[in-house]
Amino acid sequence: MAPMDPARETSEGPAPSGPRELLDASTDAAAVVSAAGVVLGWTRGAEALLGHPASEVVGGSAARLVAMPADPVRVARVAERCRGGMGWSGLISVRHRDGRTLDADLRVSASFRIGEDECFLMSARERREQWSIGQSVLDGFLTRSPIGMAVMDQELRYVWLNDTLERFGGVPREQRLGRRLSELLPGLQAAAIEGLMRKVLDTGVPVTDYEYLGWSWADPHRQHAYSTSFFPLVDADDSVTGVCYMVQDVTERWTARRLLTLVNEAGTCVGTTLDVMRTAQELADFAVPRFADFAVVDLLEPVLSTEGHGAWLTDAGPASVGPVMRRAGMSSVREGCPEAVARVGDRAGFLPPAHDVNLLVDGEPILVPVLDPSDERWVAEQPERAEKIREFGLHSFIAVPMRARNTILGLTTFMRSLNPVPFQPDDVLLARELVARAALCVDNARRYTREHTAAVTLQRSLLPQALTGGTALEVASAYLPADPADGVGGDWFDVIQLSGGRVGLVVGDVVGHGITAAATMGRLRTAVQTLADMELPPDELLAHLDDLVLRLSAERTDDETAHRSSTAFLGATCLYAVYDPVTRRCTMARAGHPPPVVVAPDGQVSFPEPPAGPPLGLGGMAFEAAEIELAENSLIGLYTDGLIEGADGDMELGMSRLGELLARSDTDLDVLCTSAVRRLVPVPQPDDIALLLARTHGLGADHVVSWQVPVDPAAVADVRASATRQVAAWGLEDLAMTTELVVSELVTNAIRYAEPPIRLRLIRDSRLTCEVADASSTAPRLRHARSTDEGGRGLFLVAQLTDRWGARYTPDGKIIWAEQEIS
C-alpha cells in the first residue's frame, strides 16, 4: 500500500508536524496486505493519508493505490527479504483518492500468517520537502543575533563582524575590518584572547565559554563581563582558514555570581567570634579592598554596653541631634586609615547630610554614586569630613543601616577613592547583604555578651566574695569553670563562721555546667549556709540537703515533662566539715564526694575517708560523720573531682599528685593554691574545678576558760563575778558589763529550766563568746514579756546586747551561746 507523510493523525485529521514525529510511528498510515496483493486491513491513518475509507479498499488490490509503473522483480525481492524476517523500507509514490500523487516513506514488516494466508504489515508517512534557509534570512540572522560574532583571518585580523559585536565594543565596523583586536581594544585582555585564537588555529580544537572582565568604548565607566567561544573555520580540504568567535555580555550573571561568592565568603570571615567589636572589625576588614577602599562600622552605644535590647531610637525624631554611636571597626587601603575622622572607640555620630535619624529607623541604604565635598550641606554640617573627602579623593559611597531582629544596631559606610569606578545600584544589593549578615552576627554577639555578663555576675554573686576563717583558719581558694570563656559552672565552696570559734568548710559539685548548674549551685550554697546556722552536725546537714535536691529534681522533672524532655535527675556531691579550734578536731561527712587531703606540719600527706555516702538527690540512704584531730598548722584541702581527674582520668593518681604539691606547706597559701591548680589541670579542662585550702590554728588555754555551775541560784553571783574578772584579765573591760549581764541571764535560765550538769565557758578569739551547756534538749524560746510579768526577759535582753546568739545540740544536751565583737 501507499505510505504516509510524517503528519500526525488524530481523530480530527492530520496534526502539525513536530520533532517527536520522527520517533513516533503511532500516527502512520497502516494496512495489512496478503502475498497476493489483496488489502486485508485498513487503518484510519491510511484513510487520512489517501482519502479512501476502509469500505472502498479492503478486499481489493493494493496495486491500484500505487502511482508507479509495475515492477514485479522489485516486488519479488522485497517479498523474499520480508519472508527472511528482515523487513524493508523505501520511497514510493501513492495515489490519493482525489487524484493527487504523494511521495511516502514505506515500511514493510517481516511476513506473518493469518490463518492460511501469508501477510505483510505496511506502514507509511508522507515525505515533505525540507525547509531551506535563504541567503537573506541567514544574513539577517547573523547580523541581528543577540550574540556578538566575528570572523578573523589567520593573522587574527577582522574579516567580518555583526552589529551586536560592533555595539558591544563601541568601535565602528569600518575601523575594525583589517585590524587586530589588540590594536583596537588594548584594555580588553586582548593579548589573552588573541592567544586563545592562535591556539584554535594551531590545534583546530574549539575553546568555549571563556569569561573575562573589561571596559569598552560603548560603556567606558562600567566594567563588563563577557563570555566568549572560539572555533576554527575549515574549508573543503579540512584546512583551517580562520577563526570565528562569539561573545555574549554576561555582566548580570557575573554580578550575581560575584554577589553570591562574596556573601558566602563573608559567612566564613565575619562573625567568627561572639564579640561585638571583633565582628564589626571583621566586616570592615572583609569589605576592604574587595568592595570598598574605606569602610567604617559605627554602632549605637547600647549595643556596646551589653545592657540594651531592642530598638533604642523610638523616641528620636527628625528634630533629634542624632543618635549616640561609637566607631566599632574601620579599614582602609591606606595604612592607618587616614581618611577617618574618628578612631575605633570614639564617638562617631556619622549621618550623611540631608539625612537624620530616620535613616537608621527606616533601614534603607543610601547610594551616592558621585560624592561632592564642595556641596554646601557637607561643608555646613560635616566640615571635617568634607575636608577628608577632598584630601583623599573619596568620590562614591554607600551607607547601610545595620538592623537585626527589629533591632537598630548602627550604620556601615563604604567609600571608594583609589578605585575609579563609582558604586552602582548592583553594589547596593551586595552591601545590603553583607551588612545584613554582619548585623545578625553583631546582634548574636550582643545578646551573648549580655547574657554571659548576667551569667558571670550571677556566678560571682553566688560564690563567696571574701573568705575568712577567723583566728581558727587561714584560707585560700581557686575556682575554674570548665569553659573559661563562659565563666559559669556548678562547683562551689564556702567558709562559714560558726559559734564557739568553730568554722564550717564546704565544697560541692552540681552535675552539669552553665547557667542552670550555677543557679542550682546557688540554691544549694544558700541551703548549706542556712543549715549551718542551725548548728546542725555534718551528717544531719547533708541529710537535709539531700531532701532539698530531691525536691529540686522533682520540680525539674515536672518542668521537663512539659517540655517533653527525658532527663529528670538533678545530682550533686558535697563534703561538709566543721573545725573546732579549741579541741583542734574536725568533724566531717560527705555525699559522694572525694575525701579531703590533709598535710601534717611535718609534710606527711593523708586522705582521711569518712564514709562516702550517696550523692545528693538519691534519697533513702543515711550519711555518717567522722572526726579527726588536726595538729597546729596542719593543712586541709577540699576539692572537686575535676581537679584530680587529670587527662588520664586516674583519680587515685590525681589525689597522689595533689598531695605531693600541697606538701610544700611552707609556701604562701594563696600561691600554693594557684600553683596546685595550674599544675594539675589539663588543657582543655573537662570539668569545673574548685579547691579550698585551710591552715589550722588552735586556741590555747589562755583563750578558753570554763566553770562548772552548781544547780543553785546562789551560785549565779559567783559565776558572774568570775566571768567578769576573766574578761577584765583579757583586757576587754568595755565588754565586762555586757558579759556580766549575759552570763547572769544564761546561767539563771539553765539553773531554772535545764538539767545538770551545767557548765559556763568563755572563748576569746576574734569574738568574745559566752557558752552555757546543760543536759537538756529543750529548745530556748525568745519571747516578749508583758509589762506585768516578773520574768521572761532574759533571752530578749541577750539578743539585744550581743551581736549573735543561738543554740546548738550536742550528744549530751545543748549549748546556749552569745557573741560579742571585739573592737
Side-chain angles (χ1 to χ4, degrees):
M1 64 159 281
M4 284 187 60
D5 174 74
R8 186 182 302 273
E9 177 183 285
T10 65
S11 57
E12 293 78 21
S17 63
R20 296 184 59 187
E21 293 175 347
L22 298 175
L23 302 174
D24 187 3
S26 63
T27 60
D28 287 1
V32 178
V33 180
S34 69
V38 178
V39 178
L40 302 179
W42 192 255
T43 64
R44 289 185 179 181
E47 180 180 350
L49 178 63
L50 299 180
H52 293 284
S55 59
E56 294 180 359
V57 179
V58 175
S61 173
R64 67 187 182 90
L65 302 175
V66 180
M68 296 173 61
D71 190 350
V73 177
R74 184 184 185 197
V75 172
R77 289 178 178 175
V78 170
E80 181 182 358
R81 179 181 175 86
C82 292
R83 289 189 180 102
M86 301 295 291
W88 178 87
S89 63
L91 177 66
I92 67 170
S93 297
V94 293
R95 183 177 291 108
H96 194 272
R97 187 168 184 257
D98 60 8
R100 290 182 292 118
T101 299
L102 305 175
D103 290 333
D105 289 311
L106 176 67
R107 293 182 296 276
V108 182
S109 72
S111 63
F112 58 92
R113 289 190 175 273
I114 300 179
E116 298 298 329
D117 296 328
E118 182 183 24
C119 302
F120 303 91
L121 175 64
M122 299 183 179
S123 62
R125 62 173 60 182
E126 182 181 3
R127 172 171 287 191
R128 294 180 178 175
E129 182 180 358
Q130 297 293 325
W131 179 72
S132 60
I133 301 177
Q135 185 63 40
S136 61
V137 176
L138 182 60
D139 290 344
F141 167 73
L142 293 175
T143 302
R144 298 178 180 86
S145 170
I147 298 176
M149 292 182 284
V151 175
M152 319 291 282
D153 63 15
Q154 291 184 330
E155 300 299 326
L156 302 183
R157 293 172 300 203
Y158 279 98
V159 176
W160 173 89
L161 68 153
N162 67 354
D163 295 347
T164 305
L165 185 63
E166 183 180 19
R167 186 172 63 253
F168 281 170
V171 179
R173 180 182 282 104
E174 294 77 13
Q175 296 182 20
R176 286 183 182 244
L177 296 177
R179 303 180 68 181
R180 293 171 50 178
L181 181 66
S182 57
E183 299 172 350
L184 299 169
L185 300 169
L188 199 65
Q189 296 190 16
I193 295 173
E194 288 185 347
L196 290 175
M197 289 192 285
R198 288 193 184 92
K199 181 179 179 181
V200 172
L201 285 173
D202 294 339
T203 64
V205 178
V207 174
T208 60
D209 202 22
Y210 171 73
E211 288 192 3
Y212 60 93
L213 298 176
W215 283 266
S216 70
W217 291 111
D219 188 7
H221 301 293
R222 184 186 179 200
Q223 192 176 43
H224 287 254
Y226 300 99
S227 174
T228 307
S229 297
F230 309 90
F231 56 91
L233 295 177
V234 183
D235 59 13
D237 59 355
D238 290 336
S239 61
V240 178
T241 61
V243 177
C244 178
Y245 80 82
M246 296 183 294
V247 60
Q248 185 176 8
D249 191 327
V250 293
T251 303
E252 292 186 4
R253 184 180 75 185
W254 181 85
T255 301
R257 192 167 60 212
R258 171 174 170 263
L259 171 63
L260 182 61
T261 301
L262 280 176
V263 169
N264 288 338
E265 188 179 352
T268 63
C269 298
V270 181
T272 60
T273 66
L274 288 172
D275 182 87
V276 173
M277 296 290 286
R278 177 75 176 272
T279 301
Q281 186 60 48
E282 287 175 346
L283 171 58
D285 291 338
F286 178 82
V288 176
R290 292 179 180 90
F291 181 64
D293 297 327
F294 178 52
V296 296
V297 181
D298 297 331
L299 298 178
L300 294 169
E301 279 198 333
V303 178
L304 301 173
S305 70
T306 73
E307 297 178 357
H309 51 85
W312 299 287
L313 301 180
T314 52
D315 296 330
S320 301
V321 174
V324 178
M325 293 192 291
R326 290 195 179 274
R327 182 65 44 86
M330 64 180 180
S331 183
S332 172
V333 292
R334 298 177 175 89
E335 185 177 356
C337 300
E339 308 97 323
V341 172
R343 315 311 295 179
V344 172
D346 295 344
R347 294 187 63 168
F350 172 66
L351 289 172
H355 295 281
D356 52 29
V357 73
N358 288 326
L359 170 61
L360 300 180
V361 176
D362 296 338
E364 290 301 319
I366 299 299
L367 167 64
V368 180
V370 179
L371 183 59
D372 182 9
S374 62
D375 188 303
E376 60 181 10
R377 293 173 300 182
W378 280 94
V379 175
E381 299 179 26
Q382 309 263 355
E384 188 176 0
R385 284 191 174 89
E387 180 59 32
K388 292 283 187 179
I389 292 171
R390 183 181 298 104
E391 178 182 356
F392 294 100
L394 301 171
H395 61 83
S396 182
F397 85 87
I398 299 175
V400 184
M402 299 186 72
R403 295 175 62 90
R405 302 184 181 95
N406 295 322
T407 301
I408 301 170
L409 302 173
L411 185 72
T412 301
T413 305
F414 306 98
M415 294 189 177
R416 283 182 178 171
S417 56
L418 300 182
N419 186 343
V421 182
F423 286 116
Q424 302 294 326
D426 289 344
D427 295 318
V428 176
L429 298 177
L430 175 57
R432 185 199 294 267
E433 188 64 27
L434 290 177
V435 173
R437 291 209 172 194
L440 191 61
C441 295
V442 167
D443 192 49
N444 288 340
R446 177 185 67 87
R447 290 169 179 260
Y448 167 78
T449 303
R450 188 180 70 243
E451 293 171 4
H452 177 258
T453 301
V456 172
T457 301
L458 171 64
Q459 172 82 2
R460 291 174 179 171
S461 67
L462 295 176
L463 290 174
Q465 303 303 305
L467 297 177
T468 175
T471 58
L473 296 174
E474 298 176 39
V475 292
S477 64
Y479 171 79
L480 287 177
D483 183 2
D486 184 29
V488 181
D491 290 6
W492 92 94
F493 55 88
D494 212 344
V495 177
I496 305 171
Q497 295 290 328
L498 302 175
S499 63
R502 299 171 307 129
V503 181
L505 302 174
V506 59
V507 66
D509 184 358
V510 174
V511 173
H513 312 290
I515 190 67
T516 302
T520 303
M521 173 271 288
R523 299 176 75 172
L524 296 184
R525 177 174 178 249
T526 301
V528 170
Q529 290 179 331
T530 302
L531 296 172
D533 282 343
M534 295 172 63
E535 302 284 358
L536 294 179
D539 53 341
E540 291 185 27
L541 183 145
L542 292 182
H544 285 284
L545 198 61
D546 184 50
D547 292 338
L548 173 62
V549 174
L550 281 173
R551 289 196 298 272
L552 294 178
S553 183
E555 292 176 4
R556 188 175 182 184
T557 302
D558 294 340
D559 179 66
E560 291 176 347
T561 299
H563 291 82
R564 303 182 182 274
S565 175
S566 59
T567 303
F569 175 72
L570 173 66
T573 64
C574 184
L575 188 151
Y576 179 61
V578 176
Y579 173 69
D580 188 342
V582 176
T583 62
R584 296 199 306 276
R585 301 191 69 82
C586 182
T587 306
M588 65 186 73
R590 58 187 178 130
H593 204 82
V597 56
V598 174
V599 181
D602 59 2
Q604 184 176 355
V605 179
S606 62
F607 290 88
E609 296 195 18
L616 300 172
L618 294 180
M621 300 177 69
F623 299 93
E624 298 181 40
E627 189 175 77
I628 60 173
E629 184 171 347
L630 297 174
E632 179 79 10
N633 289 323
S634 294
L635 182 68
I636 182 170
L638 281 64
Y639 51 90
T640 55
D641 56 5
L643 183 65
I644 58 173
E645 284 179 343
D648 51 13
D650 190 335
M651 297 187 66
E652 291 188 1
L653 181 60
M655 292 169 62
S656 176
R657 290 194 293 255
L658 175 62
E660 292 175 0
L661 291 172
L662 297 183
R664 299 180 293 117
S665 55
D666 57 335
T667 309
D668 177 81
L669 206 57
D670 288 315
V671 174
L672 185 65
C673 186
T674 303
S675 174
V677 170
R678 185 177 63 252
R679 296 187 178 210
L680 289 174
V681 176
V683 178
Q685 65 187 75
D687 198 2
D688 302 328
I689 289 170
L691 174 62
L692 176 63
L693 297 181
R695 182 169 286 128
T696 64
H697 300 291
L699 290 178
D702 56 336
H703 287 263
V704 183
V705 179
S706 62
W707 296 272
Q708 196 73 30
V709 180
V711 185
D712 181 0
V716 174
D718 294 336
V719 173
R720 183 173 57 211
S722 299
T724 303
R725 286 193 297 271
Q726 183 60 53
V727 170
W730 281 336
L732 304 175
E733 289 84 356
D734 55 333
L735 301 180
M737 182 178 298
T738 302
T739 303
E740 182 180 8
L741 181 58
V742 169
V743 168
S744 177
E745 293 296 337
L746 295 183
V747 171
T748 299
N749 284 344
I751 293 174
R752 286 183 179 179
Y753 306 112
E755 297 179 5
I758 300 172
R759 190 169 188 82
L760 169 66
R761 184 170 72 165
L762 295 180
I763 303 173
R764 177 177 70 88
D765 56 352
S766 59
R767 304 177 187 86
L768 176 61
T769 304
C770 175
E771 296 181 344
V772 175
D774 60 58
S776 172
S777 58
T778 303
R781 185 167 64 91
L782 179 66
R783 66 185 182 89
H784 293 273
R786 292 173 297 180
S787 59
T788 57
D789 291 342
E790 295 183 1
R793 298 177 178 84
L795 287 180
F796 180 78
L797 291 174
V798 171
Q800 295 296 313
L801 294 173
T802 59
D803 295 288
R804 287 199 315 162
W805 78 278
R808 68 176 183 271
Y809 292 91
T810 66
D812 302 325
K814 68 175 183 296
I815 296 175
I816 309 297
W817 55 269
E819 293 179 350
Q820 302 175 72
E821 291 290 342
I822 297 176
S823 57

